[in-house]
Amino acid sequence: MACIALACSDTVTQRWLPLPQPYTEDEARIFALQIAPQVLASGSGVERAIEVDGQFVGVIGLKGTDCNVAKTEAGYWLGPWARGRGIAAKALCAITDWALDTQGIGRVEVMVAPGNTASLATARKSLFIEEGTLRRAGHLHDGPVDLVILSRLADDPRPALAQL
Ligand SMILES: CC(C)(COP(=O)(O)OP(=O)(O)OC[C@H]1O[C@@H](n2cnc3c(N)ncnc32)[C@H](O)[C@@H]1OP(=O)(O)O)[C@@H](O)C(=O)NCCC(=O)NCCS
């Protein structure tokens, strides 16, 4: 729980995700033991730990799954100690391929605030295609934000994981 709390109380994570503030180990426990199992049980998505060499580094997830139109939305965050090594892009590609290849999903979306350069780079590297900007579609601690919407479809090109 300490690693989740550390990653989610980081200033960059708090800038770009509307997580509880302050983010304590109690919040981490609620996320891991209540929210993530509820998301899975409801069928709306899934939250998965990202591990490198057996060490927790972050979370990759799907949410807002709509089976009627076979679409879902991916989200991700890493602890600051794990950034800048291509881990987020690899995790995004892995969960996207899993959803498209095995879960009957035809479209995976990513929504990113325009100023979140690292997240935009992660989605672009993962060959998500930018479709436009939804005006004031998100809400962060600083207030409302526009959201760039990107997507990958089942028949879109995929990056080779080794190249990320
Ligand atoms: C978004 C996030 C997961 C990216 O993690 P990461 O492992 O560093 O991402 P990757 O290494 O896969 O790729 C990041 C790319 O962004 C670039 N990048 C990283 N930080 C950057 C910054 N501050 N400014 C510009 N580019 C940046 C990297 O150089 C890399 O591009 P490259 O491979 O072409 O050089 C991480 O920054 C994070 O946890 N942010 C806080 C939570 C968040 O914003 N989640 C997404 C919400 S939409």
Side-chain angles (χ1 to χ4, degrees):
M1 298 303 164
C3 288
I4 296 177
L6 197 60
C8 290
S9 51
D10 167 65
T11 48
V12 175
T13 313
Q14 283 283 341
R15 178 167 183 209
W16 298 119
L17 292 173
L19 297 171
Q21 220 174 29
Y23 199 105
T24 64
E25 286 194 31
D26 279 344
E27 262 70 47
R29 245 184 297 281
I30 291 168
F31 170 67
L33 303 178
Q34 294 178 24
I35 297 175
Q38 278 165 12
V39 166
L40 189 61
S42 72
S44 64
V46 61
E47 299 281 3
R48 285 283 178 261
I50 306 170
E51 288 186 1
V52 176
D53 298 330
Q55 301 295 310
F56 173 87
V57 296
V59 163
I60 180 89
L62 300 173
K63 65 176 183 180
T65 304
D66 184 342
C67 292
N68 291 323
V69 285
K71 71 172 184 177
T72 190
E73 181 187 339
Y76 39 85
W77 50 262
L78 293 181
W81 63 89
R83 294 179 191 152
R85 289 153 47 194
I87 296 169
K90 282 191 179 71
L92 176 59
C93 285
I95 204 164
T96 299
D97 291 353
W98 173 77
L100 296 174
D101 293 343
T102 74
Q103 300 300 304
I105 293 293
R107 170 184 168 89
V108 179
E109 298 176 344
V110 172
M111 309 265 198
V112 185
N116 193 348
T117 320
S119 183
L120 279 173
T122 298
R124 288 176 182 141
K125 262 170 58 170
S126 306
L127 298 189
F128 276 67
I129 294 171
E130 208 167 307
E131 297 175 331
T133 302
L134 307 175
R135 297 181 303 153
R136 285 188 212 154
H139 204 280
L140 300 175
H141 290 303
D142 284 347
V145 281
D146 295 347
L147 289 176
V148 178
I149 180 165
L150 308 97
S151 74
R152 180 126 72 76
L153 307 183
D155 47 356
D156 281 342
R158 300 180 184 195
L161 281 187
Q163 288 167 2
L164 294 171

